[in-house]
Amino acid sequence: MPDTATFTHRFIPVGKRGPVLLLLHGTGGNEDDLLDLGRSLHPGAALLSPRGKVLENGMPRFFRRLAEGVFDEADLIRRTHELADFVVAAAAEYQLQTRKIVAVGYSNGANIAASILLLRPGTLAGAVLLRAMLPIVPENLPNLAGIPVLLAAGREDSFIPPESTNQLATLLQKAGADLTLRWSDRGHQLEPKEIEEARLWLKANFQ
Ligand code: MLT
């Protein structure tokens, strides 16, 4: 029986309506990292923010990697299901079943959010993927019909190969997702205008 004790996390209820933002930090982050971002992206949203359970040289992540950009696929699959189960358990414990759960992930957090979309469709009502790549090619194409996904990528990103972001975009579109792909001229760091775009996108799709 999955329960919320499986992940150290923060839950901040805020409003009783509007979406729940599932905040997923990057490598070396924690459950506090994206709270301010979440508040600024959607002031009425509830925030659910787990800490990744894998440690890489003491730095929390959501799944193991063998090298930069080379993922331990078995671990990724296991961790994806574990995180999706946590989301289901949190929705029950915090009475969020009627609310839309939208992931907001950065880097490693964006990659596991993409993996949840691909391996556990139905868990998320949408996703903001900030600097994501293709984490895994699923055996079966999921049905993501009409699921809004914002993919914010950096042309000069040295951690996330642009071609892998494009592969993810193509796969999400093939699965039926309502994809918005935005390219910034920056690298791995986000620029303020991308945050503003994400805020407007959330407002348009998840009031
Ligand atoms: C990953 O490992 O998920 C990506 O390379 C992004 C990161 O550096 O965390």
Side-chain angles (χ1 to χ4, degrees), residues 12-131:
I12 302 179
V14 197
K16 288 224 180 308
R17 271 177 292 167
V20 178
L21 300 184
L22 173 67
L23 303 174
L24 301 168
H25 62 77
T27 300
N30 64 33
E31 65 278 18
D32 292 324
D33 259 30
L34 300 186
L35 294 176
D36 285 346
L37 175 68
R39 285 189 192 99
S40 67
L41 283 179
H42 199 309
L47 306 176
L48 178 63
S49 187
R51 184 197 305 172
K53 287 163 73 165
V54 168
L55 288 180
E56 183 184 275
N57 302 321
M59 295 185 297
R61 288 175 51 83
F62 286 96
F63 57 88
R64 265 168 47 89
R65 62 180 165 183
L66 306 173
E68 210 165 86
V70 183
F71 301 150
D72 176 336
E73 207 167 288
D75 188 69
L76 170 61
I77 293 170
R78 183 163 82 80
R79 303 281 176 187
T80 298
H81 287 292
E82 190 182 42
L83 185 58
D85 289 342
F86 163 79
V87 171
V88 172
E93 181 167 327
Y94 300 123
Q95 293 168 8
L96 306 170
Q97 284 103 332
T98 59
R99 312 220 1 214
K100 291 186 169 161
I101 299 182
V102 180
V104 175
Y106 172 66
S107 190
N108 180 245
N111 289 340
I112 196 140
S115 187
I116 291 180
L117 286 171
L118 296 171
L119 300 180
R120 287 285 291 267
T123 309
L124 300 172
V128 175
L129 306 178
L130 306 165
R131 304 295 188 265

